[in-house]
Amino acid sequence: MKVEKNKVVAVSYELHVDDGENGKQFFEKVEKVKPFQFLYGTGHVLPALEAAMEGKEAGESFEVFIDFENAYGDYDESKKTIVPKSNFKDNGKKNKDLLKVGKVIPMKDDQGNQLRGEITKIDYKGVHMDFNSPLAGLDLYFKGEIISIREADPEEIDHGHVHGPGGHQH
């Protein structure tokens, strides 16, 4: 079976990044024993990364360089904001577990789009958050292997993402 649209693809990889000043540096590794799974062709993976895997079979390797402009774009200062502390209350009380510098929180914007924001500072002004991708402004170097490929379930195709063992998991 080959990597193509509507196949569930599991990959292991090593990712190095380059900020243009310090050279390539290790960022993360996804092991074969716990591979990254995705539904190919749904737009949830960078197009250049998908292109590097297209047509390959389980056991084959891939390698791709993606410049920052074709990855997550440049770092954008306008994606930093201050959110009122009152937005983080749980049943009228401050949620101390949630409000910690470095914590990444899933949120929605005014149009209902999913965002992830990292808390960078908390002070009298509010909760300072950065909604840039942690990979913004970085060139990416992926080197990996296709671990497995399977047919996607009709429900996975309908929902546009992979479901975990035993059904629907988000």
Side-chain angles (χ1 to χ4, degrees), residues 29-158:
K29 184 173 186 169
V30 173
E31 302 283 349
K32 289 181 182 184
V33 294
K34 196 170 180 188
F36 170 65
Q37 294 187 64
F38 67 99
L39 183 58
Y40 187 88
T42 56
H44 294 297
V45 173
L46 294 169
L49 182 56
E50 279 196 343
M53 296 180 210
E54 188 169 10
K56 296 196 180 291
E57 297 180 358
E60 288 191 76
S61 62
F62 62 90
E63 193 169 344
V64 63
F65 163 78
I66 308 171
D67 65 42
F68 74 91
E69 292 170 328
N70 292 301
Y72 294 94
D74 210 350
Y75 189 86
D76 184 352
E77 286 292 329
S78 73
K79 291 184 177 180
K80 293 167 71 176
T81 190
I82 301 173
V83 179
K85 290 180 189 175
S86 61
N87 288 17
F88 296 92
K89 287 188 175 178
D90 194 11
N91 294 326
K93 295 182 182 177
K94 181 175 152 185
N95 188 333
K96 292 180 183 176
D97 293 332
L98 190 62
L99 286 177
K100 293 184 179 177
V101 172
K103 186 95 170 168
V104 176
I105 302 171
M107 300 179 89
K108 289 184 181 178
D109 66 12
D110 296 342
Q111 288 81 41
N113 298 312
Q114 294 286 335
L115 303 170
R116 60 173 287 304
E118 180 180 352
I119 297 175
T120 58
K121 180 173 149 184
I122 301 168
D123 64 14
Y124 70 95
K125 294 178 186 174
V127 180
H128 298 248
M129 298 192 74
D130 185 349
F131 289 94
N132 282 286
S133 164
L135 297 172
L138 301 174
D139 293 333
L140 311 179
Y141 300 86
F142 286 93
K143 186 174 184 176
E145 181 182 343
I146 310 294
I147 303 302
S148 66
I149 306 165
R150 70 168 172 82
E151 295 289 342
D153 296 333
E155 188 179 39
E156 290 174 317
I157 293 170
D158 186 48

